[in-house]
Amino acid sequence: MIRTRCASTGCFFVWTVLCAVLALLHASARADDYAETLVAQAREQRIAQSREWLRLGHYRRTLFGGLRSEADDPDFFNSPTGRTDPQAELDATLRAFFSDRPETDKQQNPQCLFVARYRWLKSRLQFDPARLPEQPCPRFERWRSELDPQSVTLVFPAAYINSPASMYGHTLLRLDGRAQSDRTRILDYALNFAAFTGNDGGLSFAYKGLAGGYIGRFSLTPYYLKIAEYSDIESRDIWEYRLALTPDEVLRLLEHAWELGSTRFDYYFLDENCSYQLLWLLDVARPSLDLVEQYPAWVIPADTIRSVVAVPGLVDDIRFRPSRSTQLLHFGQTMAPADVATARALADSRLAPDDPAFAQRPAAERARVLDLAFETLDFERLSGERRGDASAARLRELMLARAKVDGPEPPQPPVPAVRPDQGHGSARLGLGGGTTDGNGFQELRFRGAYHDLIDPAAGYSRGAQIEFGNLVARRENGEGLPFLEKATIVDVTSISARTPLSRSPSWRLNFGFERSRGPDTTRPLLFQIAGGAGLAFDLAPRLRWYGLGELGAYWSAHLDQRASLGAGGRTGVLFDWNDRWRVHAVAHGLRYIDGPAPSRSGAALAIDYSLMRDWSLRIEADTRREFGTRWSTVGLFAHHFF
């Protein structure tokens, strides 16, 4: 037996360190034991297959039946296989919660980084605080206390046809802080999901947007900046839908927004877009909603608003915020044409505010004209139509002149009778038939999105047409199988009437496949693209005329001259007889540089009658001359929107 005696300070220190190491190893072993206990409990309760856990991880079923998260950032997962394995991600997440990593400006403890997961799992598994101490999360708590939302509002800036990324509208969430009132809501913060597109445009923009070539992320922005962007600059009316979420649901939404942070998502214009990603937040806040599952193929912002409004009791207040353009046009409509012309002259610096003839007018009239002139010039400055110091100086002159005159404030436009969520569905199915030069046909139509010039107008912008994926199959003379008559990839048209207060151009872009008639009675399928710009004017309150100059091209493997370029134009009228009847008459023509015939031309008449919101009947008649062949068609079709 060997006896060791150690009385020195160094020996005592060694024994102290050894005891501390043994204690830490023992505590670590106990922590590992508890971590595995929690993992076993979670597996026993099948938490990895629960709706709540799948929502927190953004998991959806793939075409082959598996699960895959739509988050494309590895930092969103604790397991290397977490993106495709919810169970592995749950196990790794529970183990990560035992980390003692301190919080700094550059890192967070996993309990704080994944705060929504931690708090939900804590409530499900009843964590023992003695065995799994809760870590302080000062950064999250400070962020939450600064926002302090008492409710959440779903915001819908209406469609903006002049921006490809916003043709269908946009959605964002406003976090309604307790410190603000209805009068100061612009000081709240907006939670937004958007793609980072840089300076891309044209075909590059379209290709990347459709193929997922952009990165999308969530961001938090003062709401007044979003109002300035959408309402003031882009002339988009804003609809605000306050959601009836409970305090716990609001907190869960906020916690999940925190843990999403700067998580990267591949952005797709047709499905994984701004509206779709916001639905995830609502489903996390209230998993029973299942809003995401309603959109397996494509998502349009207006449709997501309809889905939210359709949930009983989910929306408890709806408010309308008119754009600067809507306010300006309404203001002009309340004034006599001569007063509008005077305001235009003041805005264009063709008339001085102190002009003697103008100064002799009654004070109330001068106030209204000066208000309209100021609003017109300021709107054109914000929208980019006017630039430079001259505009700023003129605005100052008008403001000073207005300050010297007593008069009422400009009138506010009324709330539209039909909201965007009350309009027809964005997809359309059609069935009908008719005759082409005595030969009968039957036709099946499907359009993925969204609205044409004479679809039921309630809830949509007059004069705007946006169609993607418009397919037409036809069967002639009751013989054979149906064949593809038309496949429009994109057809975007904006017929905006010019007024003294609005100088917007009208324009059109169309490309896709359409069957023609060749010189030898064949039916060649042409790929064609055409577009142009021009002007439109309202000839009467419900009658709008337009004229466009156009360039076009076609290609077909079934013609001797496979491709050619042409120029020409189209002119037409839109007549809204009443809320149910709408008429569109158009004549068009293109003259080609070369080809089997020098030109293609035609005229068409379409009359649409709304049976109800999602049903309409349409009569179509047209006559065409292409490649030396002339033919006429008449048909009747029933359209159902969904």
Side-chain angles (χ1 to χ4, degrees):
M1 182 178 180
I2 299 175
R3 303 180 69 181
T4 303
R5 197 171 85 184
C6 181
S8 67
T9 303
C11 187
F12 177 76
F13 175 75
V14 171
W15 277 106
T16 302
V17 171
L18 181 59
C19 290
V21 170
L22 291 173
L24 287 173
L25 290 174
H26 179 65
S28 177
R30 290 178 59 194
D32 289 343
D33 289 344
Y34 188 46
E36 296 312 309
T37 298
L38 292 177
V39 169
Q41 290 177 0
R43 285 176 174 263
E44 183 180 352
Q45 297 180 30
R46 301 178 61 84
I47 289 179
Q49 286 78 48
S50 69
R51 178 182 295 176
E52 293 85 351
W53 179 251
L54 297 179
R55 292 288 176 265
L56 286 167
H58 290 230
Y59 292 102
R60 288 201 71 177
R61 292 283 174 190
T62 66
L63 292 175
F64 303 103
L67 288 167
R68 182 182 179 88
S69 174
E70 292 178 342
D72 299 290
D73 195 325
D75 291 339
F76 187 66
F77 306 99
N78 289 291
S79 167
T81 61
R83 189 178 183 194
T84 56
D85 190 341
Q87 184 66 63
E89 179 61 20
L90 176 58
D91 297 348
T93 299
L94 286 169
R95 294 179 181 123
F97 289 158
F98 287 83
S99 170
D100 58 358
R101 182 193 308 160
E103 180 168 300
T104 67
D105 291 341
K106 296 182 179 179
Q107 69 176 16
Q108 295 182 80
N109 185 278
Q111 292 184 19
C112 307
L113 183 61
F114 300 106
V115 63
R117 302 185 204 182
Y118 172 77
R119 299 194 181 189
W120 180 73
L121 287 169
K122 178 183 177 181
S123 69
R124 283 292 302 264
L125 297 173
Q126 298 297 306
F127 293 161
D128 182 351
R131 303 175 71 183
L132 176 54
E134 184 165 317
Q135 301 294 325
C137 302
R139 287 169 57 184
F140 169 72
E141 294 299 339
R142 184 167 57 250
W143 181 75
R144 183 181 71 169
S145 63
E146 289 175 355
L147 294 173
D148 192 24
Q150 63 179 347
S151 61
V152 174
T153 295
L154 179 60
V155 179
F156 177 66
Y160 180 54
I161 198 170
N162 290 320
S163 171
S166 300
M167 284 183 177
Y168 298 124
H170 182 61
T171 56
L172 58 146
L173 294 176
R174 190 184 69 208
L175 306 175
D176 300 336
R178 299 179 198 279
Q180 307 304 333
S181 66
D182 289 342
R183 295 176 60 86
T184 61
R185 284 291 167 218
I186 63 171
L187 301 178
D188 281 320
Y189 279 83
L191 187 59
N192 187 51
F193 182 85
F196 294 82
T197 61
N199 296 320
D200 289 347
L203 293 178
S204 174
F205 177 84
Y207 171 75
K208 289 183 179 180
L210 293 172
Y214 291 119
I215 291 173
R217 287 192 172 95
F218 285 92
S219 62
L220 203 62
T221 309
Y223 187 48
Y224 65 83
L225 292 181
K226 305 308 291 184
I227 291 175
E229 175 185 352
Y230 296 126
S231 178
D232 296 347
I233 298 175
E234 296 183 354
S235 302
R236 301 166 70 176
D237 294 334
I238 294 176
W239 291 86
E240 301 171 347
Y241 300 78
R242 191 175 66 195
L243 306 178
L245 299 178
T246 67
D248 286 343
E249 290 169 343
V250 172
L251 179 58
R252 276 198 297 272
L253 186 148
L254 198 66
E255 290 170 347
H256 189 54
W258 172 266
E259 69 181 20
L260 284 171
S262 59
T263 299
R264 174 176 62 84
F265 293 83
D266 291 342
Y267 192 100
Y268 294 85
F269 288 163
L270 296 183
D271 51 8
E272 296 181 40
N273 53 33
C274 62
S275 288
Y276 178 77
Q277 297 297 351
L278 290 184
L279 295 181
W280 279 106
L281 287 168
L282 298 180
D283 277 352
V284 166
R286 185 184 293 179
S288 62
L289 291 175
D290 261 348
L291 295 171
V292 168
E293 297 298 332
Q294 299 181 28
Y295 298 98
W298 65 84
V299 184
I300 291 177
D303 287 342
T304 65
I305 299 296
R306 293 187 187 98
S307 298
V308 170
V309 173
V311 177
L314 183 55
V315 175
D316 65 7
D317 186 50
I318 301 175
R319 302 205 174 185
F320 173 65
R321 190 183 294 272
S323 68
R324 288 290 296 272
S325 174
T326 298
Q327 295 179 60
L328 180 62
L329 292 176
H330 174 72
F331 191 8
Q333 290 169 359
T334 66
M335 298 178 64
D339 290 340
V340 174
T342 302
R344 179 81 262 177
L346 286 167
D348 292 342
S349 299
R350 292 183 285 106
L351 179 68
D354 58 356
D355 180 270
F358 180 64
Q360 292 177 1
R361 299 181 62 175
E365 290 183 11
R366 279 185 290 143
R368 286 171 59 82
V369 172
L370 287 167
D371 278 334
L372 183 59
F374 180 89
E375 293 296 330
T376 300
L377 183 56
D378 195 41
F379 169 74
E380 293 174 351
R381 179 186 63 84
L382 290 170
S383 61
E385 292 183 38
R386 303 259 191 159
R387 292 184 176 88
D389 295 337
S391 295
R394 188 58 169 181
L395 282 172
R396 185 173 182 275
E397 287 182 51
L398 294 171
M399 184 171 58
L400 291 174
R402 176 62 178 86
K404 299 176 183 178
V405 184
D406 292 330
E409 293 295 320
Q412 289 298 306
V415 177
V418 180
R419 304 188 307 264
D421 62 276
Q422 296 173 318
H424 66 72
S426 60
R428 189 182 74 185
L429 187 65
L431 182 65
T435 178
T436 298
D437 289 344
N439 297 316
F441 67 86
Q442 302 81 45
E443 214 168 76
L444 178 65
R445 301 172 166 186
F446 172 77
R447 184 185 67 196
Y450 152 79
H451 180 76
D452 70 26
L453 291 173
I454 58 171
D455 277 338
Y460 289 83
S461 299
R462 185 175 182 230
Q465 173 170 299
I466 306 173
E467 292 190 301
F468 280 74
N470 190 11
L471 306 176
V472 177
R474 179 179 287 190
R475 184 169 180 259
E476 293 186 344
N477 296 322
E479 301 175 355
L481 296 174
F483 56 85
L484 182 66
E485 179 72 13
K486 181 193 295 187
T488 301
I489 302 172
V490 172
D491 187 342
V492 183
T493 303
S494 177
I495 306 299
S496 300
R498 288 178 68 90
T499 71
L501 303 178
S502 175
R503 299 172 174 174
S504 299
S506 295
W507 57 275
R508 174 179 178 268
L509 173 65
N510 172 288
F511 62 90
F513 296 87
E514 186 170 8
R515 202 165 292 278
S516 182
R517 292 180 181 265
D520 53 357
T521 70
T522 59
R523 297 294 312 280
L525 189 65
L526 278 64
F527 174 78
Q528 57 186 7
I529 181 170
L535 302 175
F537 297 94
D538 281 340
L539 306 180
R542 291 179 174 267
L543 181 64
R544 181 171 297 179
W545 170 89
Y546 66 91
L548 308 177
E550 291 192 336
L551 298 175
Y554 75 83
W555 178 90
S556 176
H558 304 287
L559 294 173
D560 293 336
Q561 183 68 37
R562 294 195 171 189
S564 187
L565 301 174
R570 68 179 49 227
T571 183
V573 292
L574 293 168
F575 178 44
D576 295 347
W577 187 5
N578 54 37
D579 293 338
R580 289 184 177 271
W581 290 94
R582 290 162 306 283
V583 179
H584 181 208
V586 60
H588 56 88
L590 287 175
R591 186 169 187 83
Y592 291 97
I593 297 173
D594 49 20
S599 65
R600 298 171 67 199
S601 60
L605 174 68
I607 303 173
D608 195 273
Y609 175 72
S610 299
L611 296 170
M612 56 188 71
R613 188 185 78 166
D614 288 325
W615 287 93
S616 72
L617 291 176
R618 182 172 298 186
I619 298 173
E620 295 180 0
D622 71 82
T623 180
R624 301 189 197 182
R625 182 178 178 83
E626 298 183 1
F627 309 119
T629 301
R630 182 184 295 278
W631 74 98
S632 299
T633 300
V634 177
L636 174 65
F637 307 92
H639 288 160
H640 172 56
F641 303 87
F642 59 98

